[in-house]
Amino acid sequence: MHALPLILASAAPSQTTGQIANVVTSGMMQGVLDEVIALLPVCIPVMISFIGLRKGISFIQSVLHAA
């Protein structure tokens, strides 16, 4: 059998954060924010439509149960 190396969790969280901060730039984050903002005009009407559809189905079921 091969011996697997043990990974010790002794690294400080600041070292991991520092490594991520060195890779991720503000330009990358701006790109993500731009994409999220671009999706809002699509997502909001879809969510409102689903909520309305759900309420409509619930209303129809309550009318049918009452009949």
Side-chain angles (χ1 to χ4, degrees):
M1 249 197 229
H2 297 287
L4 296 175
L6 293 177
I7 299 173
L8 299 176
S10 63
S14 62
Q15 290 176 344
T16 305
T17 306
Q19 292 171 356
I20 293 173
N22 291 337
V23 174
V24 177
T25 63
S26 62
M28 289 180 182
M29 296 306 291
Q30 186 64 38
V32 171
L33 182 62
D34 290 341
E35 290 297 322
V36 169
I37 291 172
L39 285 175
L40 285 178
V42 175
C43 291
I44 291 175
V46 169
M47 290 188 321
I48 291 172
S49 300
F50 282 143
I51 291 170
L53 184 63
R54 192 187 79 192
K55 288 179 110 14
I57 291 171
S58 175
F59 174 73
I60 290 172
Q61 282 181 341
S62 67
V63 168
L64 291 175
H65 283 294

